[in-house]
Each structure stands twice: as C-alpha cells, then as structure tokens.
C-alpha cells in the first residue's frame, strides 16, 4: 500500500513548518491512507501525505485547512471525519494533488479516470469574522461524501487495506473519538476475517454490538 497504517506518525510535519506555525507537540487524532486530523490546543488542521511519485523528490507531510481557533469542540469532529472521508476516497481510487500555498497546502481531489478536480480543500479554515461562514470542515465533508467511488473497492483480502477502510467508516460516527474508532475497527477486522461473508458495514455493526 502507498500509505500503510501509521504513515503520518512515522512521517510528521517538517520541523520548519511546525516551528513557523507554532504546532510543536501537536496530537494526531486520526489517520486513514495518509490523511489525518491534527490538533494543538484551540488549533485544528488536516495532515496529508502526497501521492508517491517516483519521478519527484518526496514533498513530505503537508498541512491543509488550518484552523487557528475552534469555536467549540463540536467543530473538531468535522476535521476528523473529513480526514477519514478523504482517506476513504483515496482508497477508492481518487488522487489527492497537493498545491503549496506558503507554509500550508491546498488539496485537490482528482478523479484519475477523467483527470478532473472534483473537490478542493483550502489551505486555511475561514476565521471567526469570515462573511457567510466560508468553506468550513463540515461543509467540505458534506460535499465530498457525495462523491462516488473512482474505481473498484480496495483489495479486502489485504488486512491493512481492510482495516483502513473499516477505520474510515468508523470515523464517520462523530460520537466516537479516534481511539474508540480504532478499537471498533480492530474488532470489526477480527470479525471480518473470521466470517468472510461479512462486508465492512456489517462487520462494524457486529463489532458495535459486542463493544456496546
């Protein structure tokens, strides 16, 4: 897999970006297929590892949709769910093209079948004084959730691919923390491997019943 589980933990933001944006000691809340949600105090942001390109040097993990001041904790769920959905889209065949904008990056969701950009994630979240609210994490999430898969589903015979798919689906539940979603995905993976007739949603439902 291009971005196995734990990729962002092993490839954090470059020190220069961390220092310039004052994000030292940030917490990685969730990660799916090289897309994650980060948090430091009142700040929230997306972390994105670029699609591998052997013809180019690695651009390293980048930051997008940086929000300097959350109004309340409910806003944080939108970042976690958006990261999971972008990871899910990447697993289904979409490409994530990163466009550098200063210390941050814009993220374009590209359908490889057409080469067209079907959604864009800005480098910054609108501030408190933004007129009309701007493109918030919640609004972006609603938009990308409506996108169909770009290709066939990932190889569910691969435990890593199946776990990332299960984690992406579990993180859609805003009542779960990242740790709780990971625990649910791990148990669902065990159940799916025991019973090959269970598809990912059914495995998650069975795991929810066990874990209460």
């Amino acid at each position: 897999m291009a971005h196995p589980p734990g990729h962002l933990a092993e490839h954090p933001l470059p020190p220069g970006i961390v220092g310039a944006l004052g994000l030292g000691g940030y917490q990685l809340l969730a990660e799916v297929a090289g897309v994650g949600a980060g948090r430091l105090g009142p700040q929230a942001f997306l972390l994105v590892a670029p699609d591998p390109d052997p013809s180019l040097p690695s651009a390293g993990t980048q930051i997008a949709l940086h929000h300097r001041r959350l109004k309340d904790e409910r806003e944080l769920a939108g970042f976690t769910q958006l990261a999971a959905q972008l990871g899910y889209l990447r697993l289904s065949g979409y490409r994530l093209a990163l466009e550098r904008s200063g210390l941050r990056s814009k993220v374009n969701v590209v359908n490889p079948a057409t080469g067209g950009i079907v959604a864009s994630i800005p480098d910054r979240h609108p501030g408190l004084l933004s007129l009309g609210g701007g493109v918030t994490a919640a609004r972006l999430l609603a938009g990308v959730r409506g996108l169909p898969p770009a290709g066939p589903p990932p190889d569910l015979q691969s435990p890593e691919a199946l776990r990332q798919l299960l984690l992406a689906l579990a993180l859609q539940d805003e009542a779960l923390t990242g740790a709780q979603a990971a625990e649910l995905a791990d148990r669902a993976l065990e159940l799916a491997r025991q019973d090959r007739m269970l598809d990912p949603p059914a495995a998650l439902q069975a795991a929810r019943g066990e874990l209460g």
Side-chain angles (χ1 to χ4, degrees):
M1 293 182 64
H3 299 99
H7 180 89
L8 291 179
E10 295 177 6
H11 301 83
L13 286 169
I17 292 178
V18 168
L21 294 178
L23 296 175
Y26 68 86
Q27 180 184 10
L28 180 61
L29 301 175
E31 176 192 350
V32 176
V35 186
R39 198 257 174 90
L40 177 65
Q43 300 186 76
F45 41 88
L46 297 180
L47 299 160
V48 185
D51 288 328
D53 187 341
S55 67
L56 295 172
S58 174
T61 299
Q62 299 181 43
I63 187 172
L65 202 65
H66 184 198
H67 191 353
R68 288 191 175 276
R69 189 168 297 280
L70 297 167
K71 288 183 289 187
D72 60 56
E73 290 299 308
R74 288 174 295 181
E75 281 190 295
L76 191 59
F79 281 82
T80 302
Q81 292 179 304
L82 180 58
Q85 186 64 28
L86 291 173
Y88 179 80
L89 290 175
R90 178 178 257 175
L91 289 171
S92 79
Y94 286 93
R95 289 179 47 245
L96 300 183
L98 277 65
E99 178 184 346
R100 214 57 181 270
S101 178
L103 294 169
R104 306 167 181 82
S105 296
K106 301 175 183 177
V107 183
N108 293 319
V109 182
V110 179
N111 186 336
T114 64
I117 296 173
V118 294
S120 292
I121 311 300
D123 56 320
R124 303 186 192 205
H125 196 277
L128 296 178
L129 301 179
S130 174
L131 296 176
V135 282
T136 64
R139 290 181 182 179
L140 290 165
L141 175 63
V144 297
R145 272 188 173 166
L147 295 173
D155 178 15
L156 299 185
Q157 299 304 310
S158 163
E160 285 189 351
L162 179 55
R163 185 184 184 277
Q164 294 215 60
L165 180 61
L166 289 166
L167 180 58
L169 295 174
L171 285 166
Q172 291 180 5
D173 185 349
E174 63 182 36
L176 297 178
T177 65
Q180 291 170 332
E183 180 183 5
L184 182 65
D186 286 340
R187 182 53 187 149
L189 176 61
E190 294 176 10
L191 295 175
R193 297 182 72 180
Q194 292 169 10
D195 183 354
R196 298 292 182 178
M197 297 301 291
L198 286 177
D199 63 11
L204 277 174
Q205 188 61 36
R208 280 193 178 93
E210 288 190 4
L211 299 177

